[in-house]
Amino acid sequence: MEQKKTLRRAAAVQDLSGFGRCSLTVALPILSAMGVQCSCLPTAVLSTHTGGFKGYTFRDLTEDMEPFFRHWQKENFAFDALYTGYLGSLHQLEIVQRFFDAFQTKENITLVDPVMGDHGVLYSRFDDRMVRGIRALCARADVMVPNLTEAAFLTDTPYRPDMQSEQDMQQVCEKLLALGAKQVVLTGVRPEKDLLGAACHDGKHLHIYARPHVPKQYDGTGDVFASVLLGGMLQGNTLQKSMEQAADFTRICVQKSLENGTDMHHGVDFEMCLPLLIGMQTQK
Ligand code: PXL
């Protein structure tokens, strides 16, 4: 007899940026395409994301966050994954700690994407105190997904984009794991000049995965990567396989957006690539 499929459920704690595909407008469609139910705990509603647009509106939903998840708790909702991304204030980081207290279990996956900067600099709204708060969230993660900039701030080491050897990756991952997370996936890794990819460390082994670099940067690609990574893990795949799938899919989205001449701040044209994700599905 065919086994019943179980629908996995993730809770995504992220903002909703109305324009410029990132955070929830990426996590929701991607997880859905991968057969994962995505519940949303919105942290803020913005007219656009904060990287590249001037004069955006920002409706802070911090005050709603705790009543929002306490209601979920009263309803006895449970989640196979807790997924956090861009968090805009210290107060929100404290609330997410309580969200973890309420919903973490031995079985579920907590994925913390420590969104706070890129290219060696912190985003606006982020400072040292925020870095410390995000470090404390990473300590409670099963998987953390920093880029090289975030890894440098989290480990309090200078940003050195030229340090890309296997030994360098091993060292960075070990320092990140020392923060307390069980597994780490490092993004934006460049083992050779024309390659771009990611490295993962599951506490035992380091794996590096890189493909020919598509020479254009797009906002929101970190969110695409983290969402596919989580979807893959919830489908029962290993960290390494999920990382490879996330890297491949992100690369395909960047390639498609480049072909389409899409503005970098609009995020990637992932919609045209979603059928591929549905095709990649291996959920038991
Ligand atoms: O993609 C990360 C992200 C998410 N949400 C908001 C952002 C950013 C990056 O700048 O501004 C609001």
Side-chain angles (χ1 to χ4, degrees):
M1 210 172 77
E2 201 194 337
Q3 254 196 327
K4 250 197 185 166
K5 286 188 177 174
T6 50
L7 182 64
R8 301 287 178 178
R9 184 191 291 147
V13 188
Q14 302 206 359
D15 62 277
L16 194 154
S17 290
F19 191 93
R21 292 157 288 192
C22 69
S23 38
L24 279 184
T25 64
V26 162
L28 193 50
I30 286 185
L31 287 169
S32 301
M34 295 181 83
V36 174
Q37 179 185 347
C38 179
S39 307
C40 302
L41 201 173
T43 56
V45 178
L46 296 84
S47 52
T48 67
H49 61 72
T50 65
F53 301 101
K54 285 208 179 76
Y56 55 84
T57 70
F58 189 104
R59 173 74 59 189
D60 187 354
L61 297 179
T62 304
E63 296 309 314
D64 292 289
M65 286 172 64
E66 187 142 1
F68 206 106
F69 79 71
R70 294 295 175 206
H71 176 215
W72 287 359
Q73 207 178 8
K74 272 209 196 95
E75 296 285 344
N76 285 318
F77 298 154
F79 300 98
D80 300 296
L82 312 179
Y83 172 22
T84 71
Y86 181 97
L87 294 164
S89 70
L90 281 175
H91 192 184
Q92 288 196 346
L93 297 178
E94 284 161 20
I95 294 169
V96 171
Q97 289 280 357
R98 294 199 286 279
F99 173 72
F100 287 173
D101 292 340
F103 289 100
Q104 272 186 333
T105 66
K106 282 208 179 68
E107 289 77 32
N108 65 13
I109 303 172
T110 298
L111 186 147
V112 173
D113 185 355
V115 179
M116 55 183 167
D118 213 349
H119 309 295
V121 287
L122 292 176
Y123 296 136
S124 60
R125 313 175 73 88
F126 288 82
D127 58 14
D128 278 356
R129 292 204 311 162
M130 285 293 288
V131 174
R132 281 199 292 278
I134 292 173
R135 220 177 261 147
L137 279 192
C138 291
R140 300 184 67 180
D142 294 292
V143 190
M144 61 185 291
V145 195
N147 60 30
L148 292 178
T149 301
E150 291 154 352
F153 280 98
L154 288 170
T155 58
D156 210 7
T157 44
Y159 172 65
R160 291 283 306 275
D162 55 319
M163 288 178 64
Q164 298 275 0
S165 69
E166 193 173 327
Q167 209 183 351
D168 294 330
M169 292 304 123
Q170 178 78 30
Q171 247 175 32
V172 179
C173 286
E174 280 172 10
K175 280 190 188 163
L176 288 164
L177 291 172
L179 298 177
K182 294 192 185 76
Q183 301 180 312
V184 56
V185 179
L186 195 57
T187 63
V189 165
R190 310 278 310 257
E192 286 176 38
K193 191 174 147 284
D194 298 323
L195 297 181
L196 175 67
C200 69
H201 203 303
D202 58 9
K204 289 198 187 103
H205 303 289
L206 174 78
H207 296 282
I208 299 176
Y209 182 72
R211 305 273 293 121
H213 177 44
V214 182
K216 179 138 188 208
Q217 301 275 340
Y218 279 95
D219 292 337
T221 46
D223 299 333
V224 171
F225 183 97
S227 300
V228 178
L229 177 78
L230 181 62
M233 294 187 77
L234 287 173
Q235 288 175 350
N237 296 318
T238 60
L239 183 71
Q240 185 186 352
K241 183 163 184 232
S242 306
M243 168 183 80
E244 292 176 1
Q245 186 183 9
D248 285 342
F249 185 74
T250 308
R251 181 172 179 275
I252 291 166
C253 292
V254 170
Q255 178 72 49
K256 177 61 81 185
S257 312
L258 180 63
E259 285 164 19
N260 293 344
T262 302
D263 186 304
M264 69 172 285
H265 297 306
H266 292 197
V268 286
D269 298 348
F270 69 84
E271 299 84 351
M272 291 173 149
C273 310
L274 282 181
L276 277 177
L277 265 189
I278 295 167
M280 285 172 171
Q281 217 177 115
T282 57
Q283 189 168 312
K284 308 265 171 359

PDB file of all heavy atoms in Angstrom, residues 14-15 17 21-23 46 48-51 58 85-86 115 123 219-223, ligand 1:
ATOM      1  N   GLN A  14       9.528  36.637   9.459  1.00  0.00           N
ATOM      2  CA  GLN A  14      10.202  37.547   8.527  1.00  0.00           C
ATOM      3  C   GLN A  14       9.289  38.714   8.209  1.00  0.00           C
ATOM      4  O   GLN A  14       8.095  38.683   8.505  1.00  0.00           O
ATOM      5  CB  GLN A  14      10.510  36.807   7.216  1.00  0.00           C
ATOM      6  CG  GLN A  14      11.365  35.572   7.418  1.00  0.00           C
ATOM      7  CD  GLN A  14      12.184  35.194   6.207  1.00  0.00           C
ATOM      8  OE1 GLN A  14      12.119  35.838   5.176  1.00  0.00           O
ATOM      9  NE2 GLN A  14      12.942  34.136   6.334  1.00  0.00           N
ATOM     10  N   ASP A  15       9.853  39.716   7.548  1.00  0.00           N
ATOM     11  CA  ASP A  15       9.044  40.868   7.125  1.00  0.00           C
ATOM     12  C   ASP A  15       8.368  40.572   5.787  1.00  0.00           C
ATOM     13  O   ASP A  15       8.755  39.652   5.070  1.00  0.00           O
ATOM     14  CB  ASP A  15       9.946  42.092   6.942  1.00  0.00           C
ATOM     15  CG  ASP A  15      10.962  41.853   5.852  1.00  0.00           C
ATOM     16  OD1 ASP A  15      11.990  41.233   6.143  1.00  0.00           O
ATOM     17  OD2 ASP A  15      10.705  42.242   4.697  1.00  0.00           O
ATOM     18  N   SER A  17       8.035  42.565   2.501  1.00  0.00           N
ATOM     19  CA  SER A  17       8.407  43.731   1.700  1.00  0.00           C
ATOM     20  C   SER A  17       7.576  43.671   0.428  1.00  0.00           C
ATOM     21  O   SER A  17       7.682  42.712  -0.347  1.00  0.00           O
ATOM     22  CB  SER A  17       9.901  43.693   1.369  1.00  0.00           C
ATOM     23  OG  SER A  17      10.645  43.920   2.556  1.00  0.00           O
ATOM     24  N   ARG A  21      11.603  41.248  -4.428  1.00  0.00           N
ATOM     25  CA  ARG A  21      11.369  39.909  -3.893  1.00  0.00           C
ATOM     26  C   ARG A  21      12.430  39.501  -2.857  1.00  0.00           C
ATOM     27  O   ARG A  21      13.606  39.329  -3.200  1.00  0.00           O
ATOM     28  CB  ARG A  21      11.326  38.925  -5.075  1.00  0.00           C
ATOM     29  CG  ARG A  21      10.102  39.152  -5.947  1.00  0.00           C
ATOM     30  CD  ARG A  21      10.291  38.628  -7.335  1.00  0.00           C
ATOM     31  NE  ARG A  21      11.202  39.428  -8.114  1.00  0.00           N
ATOM     32  CZ  ARG A  21      11.354  39.297  -9.440  1.00  0.00           C
ATOM     33  NH1 ARG A  21      10.640  38.390 -10.093  1.00  0.00           N
ATOM     34  NH2 ARG A  21      12.198  40.057 -10.092  1.00  0.00           N
ATOM     35  N   CYS A  22      11.987  39.370  -1.612  1.00  0.00           N
ATOM     36  CA  CYS A  22      12.858  38.914  -0.517  1.00  0.00           C
ATOM     37  C   CYS A  22      11.974  38.442   0.632  1.00  0.00           C
ATOM     38  O   CYS A  22      10.742  38.500   0.525  1.00  0.00           O
ATOM     39  CB  CYS A  22      13.796  40.040  -0.061  1.00  0.00           C
ATOM     40  SG  CYS A  22      12.986  41.401   0.778  1.00  0.00           S
ATOM     41  N   SER A  23      12.581  38.012   1.685  1.00  0.00           N
ATOM     42  CA  SER A  23      11.899  37.532   2.904  1.00  0.00           C
ATOM     43  C   SER A  23      10.597  36.776   2.603  1.00  0.00           C
ATOM     44  O   SER A  23      10.623  35.817   1.852  1.00  0.00           O
ATOM     45  CB  SER A  23      11.736  38.667   3.919  1.00  0.00           C
ATOM     46  OG  SER A  23      11.442  39.883   3.297  1.00  0.00           O
ATOM     47  N   LEU A  46       6.741  46.486   4.764  1.00  0.00           N
ATOM     48  CA  LEU A  46       7.452  47.603   4.119  1.00  0.00           C
ATOM     49  C   LEU A  46       6.944  47.747   2.681  1.00  0.00           C
ATOM     50  O   LEU A  46       6.457  46.778   2.087  1.00  0.00           O
ATOM     51  CB  LEU A  46       8.948  47.324   4.051  1.00  0.00           C
ATOM     52  CG  LEU A  46       9.757  47.205   5.332  1.00  0.00           C
ATOM     53  CD1 LEU A  46       9.673  45.807   5.928  1.00  0.00           C
ATOM     54  CD2 LEU A  46      11.226  47.524   5.055  1.00  0.00           C
ATOM     55  N   THR A  48       8.988  48.488   0.205  1.00  0.00           N
ATOM     56  CA  THR A  48      10.063  47.778  -0.505  1.00  0.00           C
ATOM     57  C   THR A  48      11.045  47.288   0.565  1.00  0.00           C
ATOM     58  O   THR A  48      10.957  47.725   1.708  1.00  0.00           O
ATOM     59  CB  THR A  48      10.877  48.717  -1.434  1.00  0.00           C
ATOM     60  OG1 THR A  48      11.591  49.657  -0.605  1.00  0.00           O
ATOM     61  CG2 THR A  48       9.990  49.470  -2.415  1.00  0.00           C
ATOM     62  N   HIS A  49      12.007  46.457   0.168  1.00  0.00           N
ATOM     63  CA  HIS A  49      13.077  46.144   1.125  1.00  0.00           C
ATOM     64  C   HIS A  49      13.965  47.374   1.280  1.00  0.00           C
ATOM     65  O   HIS A  49      13.791  48.372   0.560  1.00  0.00           O
ATOM     66  CB  HIS A  49      13.852  44.880   0.714  1.00  0.00           C
ATOM     67  CG  HIS A  49      14.549  44.946  -0.606  1.00  0.00           C
ATOM     68  ND1 HIS A  49      15.667  45.702  -0.808  1.00  0.00           N
ATOM     69  CD2 HIS A  49      14.270  44.346  -1.801  1.00  0.00           C
ATOM     70  CE1 HIS A  49      16.067  45.570  -2.057  1.00  0.00           C
ATOM     71  NE2 HIS A  49      15.231  44.755  -2.678  1.00  0.00           N
ATOM     72  N   THR A  50      14.907  47.295   2.205  1.00  0.00           N
ATOM     73  CA  THR A  50      15.655  48.509   2.583  1.00  0.00           C
ATOM     74  C   THR A  50      16.940  48.695   1.774  1.00  0.00           C
ATOM     75  O   THR A  50      17.646  49.685   1.962  1.00  0.00           O
ATOM     76  CB  THR A  50      16.030  48.461   4.090  1.00  0.00           C
ATOM     77  OG1 THR A  50      16.941  47.365   4.285  1.00  0.00           O
ATOM     78  CG2 THR A  50      14.815  48.263   4.962  1.00  0.00           C
ATOM     79  N   GLY A  51      17.257  47.738   0.906  1.00  0.00           N
ATOM     80  CA  GLY A  51      18.526  47.827   0.178  1.00  0.00           C
ATOM     81  C   GLY A  51      18.336  48.340  -1.242  1.00  0.00           C
ATOM     82  O   GLY A  51      18.096  47.548  -2.141  1.00  0.00           O
ATOM     83  N   PHE A  58       7.608  51.745   6.457  1.00  0.00           N
ATOM     84  CA  PHE A  58       8.004  50.668   7.368  1.00  0.00           C
ATOM     85  C   PHE A  58       6.975  50.593   8.495  1.00  0.00           C
ATOM     86  O   PHE A  58       6.954  51.445   9.378  1.00  0.00           O
ATOM     87  CB  PHE A  58       9.396  50.970   7.936  1.00  0.00           C
ATOM     88  CG  PHE A  58      10.011  49.837   8.734  1.00  0.00           C
ATOM     89  CD1 PHE A  58      11.023  49.055   8.189  1.00  0.00           C
ATOM     90  CD2 PHE A  58       9.578  49.551  10.022  1.00  0.00           C
ATOM     91  CE1 PHE A  58      11.586  48.010   8.919  1.00  0.00           C
ATOM     92  CE2 PHE A  58      10.128  48.505  10.753  1.00  0.00           C
ATOM     93  CZ  PHE A  58      11.144  47.739  10.202  1.00  0.00           C
ATOM     94  N   GLY A  85      14.579  35.094   9.450  1.00  0.00           N
ATOM     95  CA  GLY A  85      15.413  35.820   8.491  1.00  0.00           C
ATOM     96  C   GLY A  85      15.645  37.228   9.003  1.00  0.00           C
ATOM     97  O   GLY A  85      15.976  37.413  10.180  1.00  0.00           O
ATOM     98  N   TYR A  86      15.426  38.195   8.140  1.00  0.00           N
ATOM     99  CA  TYR A  86      15.659  39.601   8.492  1.00  0.00           C
ATOM    100  C   TYR A  86      14.839  39.990   9.727  1.00  0.00           C
ATOM    101  O   TYR A  86      13.623  39.866   9.745  1.00  0.00           O
ATOM    102  CB  TYR A  86      15.248  40.481   7.307  1.00  0.00           C
ATOM    103  CG  TYR A  86      15.438  41.959   7.505  1.00  0.00           C
ATOM    104  CD1 TYR A  86      16.574  42.593   7.015  1.00  0.00           C
ATOM    105  CD2 TYR A  86      14.476  42.723   8.155  1.00  0.00           C
ATOM    106  CE1 TYR A  86      16.745  43.957   7.188  1.00  0.00           C
ATOM    107  CE2 TYR A  86      14.642  44.089   8.331  1.00  0.00           C
ATOM    108  CZ  TYR A  86      15.789  44.692   7.844  1.00  0.00           C
ATOM    109  OH  TYR A  86      15.950  46.043   8.015  1.00  0.00           O
ATOM    110  N   VAL A 115      20.529  37.437   8.864  1.00  0.00           N
ATOM    111  CA  VAL A 115      20.562  38.543   7.888  1.00  0.00           C
ATOM    112  C   VAL A 115      20.992  39.832   8.581  1.00  0.00           C
ATOM    113  O   VAL A 115      20.336  40.282   9.528  1.00  0.00           O
ATOM    114  CB  VAL A 115      19.152  38.751   7.272  1.00  0.00           C
ATOM    115  CG1 VAL A 115      19.182  39.912   6.268  1.00  0.00           C
ATOM    116  CG2 VAL A 115      18.660  37.474   6.602  1.00  0.00           C
ATOM    117  N   TYR A 123      23.896  46.172   7.103  1.00  0.00           N
ATOM    118  CA  TYR A 123      22.765  46.930   6.546  1.00  0.00           C
ATOM    119  C   TYR A 123      22.418  48.059   7.514  1.00  0.00           C
ATOM    120  O   TYR A 123      22.750  48.003   8.709  1.00  0.00           O
ATOM    121  CB  TYR A 123      21.522  46.039   6.400  1.00  0.00           C
ATOM    122  CG  TYR A 123      21.656  44.894   5.413  1.00  0.00           C
ATOM    123  CD1 TYR A 123      21.187  43.623   5.730  1.00  0.00           C
ATOM    124  CD2 TYR A 123      22.228  45.080   4.154  1.00  0.00           C
ATOM    125  CE1 TYR A 123      21.286  42.566   4.831  1.00  0.00           C
ATOM    126  CE2 TYR A 123      22.331  44.027   3.247  1.00  0.00           C
ATOM    127  CZ  TYR A 123      21.853  42.772   3.597  1.00  0.00           C
ATOM    128  OH  TYR A 123      21.958  41.730   2.719  1.00  0.00           O
ATOM    129  N   ASP A 219      19.505  41.339  -5.144  1.00  0.00           N
ATOM    130  CA  ASP A 219      18.986  41.339  -3.770  1.00  0.00           C
ATOM    131  C   ASP A 219      18.063  40.133  -3.591  1.00  0.00           C
ATOM    132  O   ASP A 219      17.430  39.675  -4.550  1.00  0.00           O
ATOM    133  CB  ASP A 219      18.201  42.643  -3.506  1.00  0.00           C
ATOM    134  CG  ASP A 219      19.118  43.855  -3.481  1.00  0.00           C
ATOM    135  OD1 ASP A 219      20.323  43.681  -3.233  1.00  0.00           O
ATOM    136  OD2 ASP A 219      18.624  44.979  -3.705  1.00  0.00           O
ATOM    137  N   GLY A 220      17.990  39.653  -2.369  1.00  0.00           N
ATOM    138  CA  GLY A 220      17.046  38.576  -2.057  1.00  0.00           C
ATOM    139  C   GLY A 220      17.544  37.175  -2.365  1.00  0.00           C
ATOM    140  O   GLY A 220      16.863  36.195  -2.047  1.00  0.00           O
ATOM    141  N   THR A 221      18.752  37.054  -2.934  1.00  0.00           N
ATOM    142  CA  THR A 221      19.209  35.699  -3.280  1.00  0.00           C
ATOM    143  C   THR A 221      19.510  34.875  -2.017  1.00  0.00           C
ATOM    144  O   THR A 221      19.357  33.652  -2.025  1.00  0.00           O
ATOM    145  CB  THR A 221      20.457  35.726  -4.192  1.00  0.00           C
ATOM    146  OG1 THR A 221      21.389  36.661  -3.653  1.00  0.00           O
ATOM    147  CG2 THR A 221      20.097  36.116  -5.610  1.00  0.00           C
ATOM    148  N   GLY A 222      19.906  35.551  -0.938  1.00  0.00           N
ATOM    149  CA  GLY A 222      20.133  34.835   0.325  1.00  0.00           C
ATOM    150  C   GLY A 222      18.836  34.201   0.817  1.00  0.00           C
ATOM    151  O   GLY A 222      18.849  33.093   1.371  1.00  0.00           O
ATOM    152  N   ASP A 223      17.727  34.900   0.601  1.00  0.00           N
ATOM    153  CA  ASP A 223      16.430  34.373   1.045  1.00  0.00           C
ATOM    154  C   ASP A 223      15.978  33.206   0.164  1.00  0.00           C
ATOM    155  O   ASP A 223      15.383  32.243   0.657  1.00  0.00           O
ATOM    156  CB  ASP A 223      15.371  35.481   1.033  1.00  0.00           C
ATOM    157  CG  ASP A 223      15.749  36.622   1.976  1.00  0.00           C
ATOM    158  OD1 ASP A 223      16.474  36.372   2.958  1.00  0.00           O
ATOM    159  OD2 ASP A 223      15.330  37.767   1.723  1.00  0.00           O
TER     160      ASP A 223
HETATM  161  O1  PXL B   1      16.896  39.952   1.842  1.00  0.00           O
HETATM  162  C1  PXL B   1      17.105  40.388   3.122  1.00  0.00           C
HETATM  163  C2  PXL B   1      16.159  41.489   3.521  1.00  0.00           C
HETATM  164  C3  PXL B   1      14.902  41.180   3.983  1.00  0.00           C
HETATM  165  N1  PXL B   1      14.034  42.130   4.377  1.00  0.00           N
HETATM  166  C4  PXL B   1      14.342  43.412   4.307  1.00  0.00           C
HETATM  167  C5  PXL B   1      15.590  43.818   3.836  1.00  0.00           C
HETATM  168  C6  PXL B   1      16.524  42.833   3.449  1.00  0.00           C
HETATM  169  C7  PXL B   1      17.837  43.229   2.967  1.00  0.00           C
HETATM  170  O2  PXL B   1      18.174  44.345   2.822  1.00  0.00           O
HETATM  171  O3  PXL B   1      15.869  45.108   3.743  1.00  0.00           O
HETATM  172  C8  PXL B   1      13.354  44.444   4.750  1.00  0.00           C
END
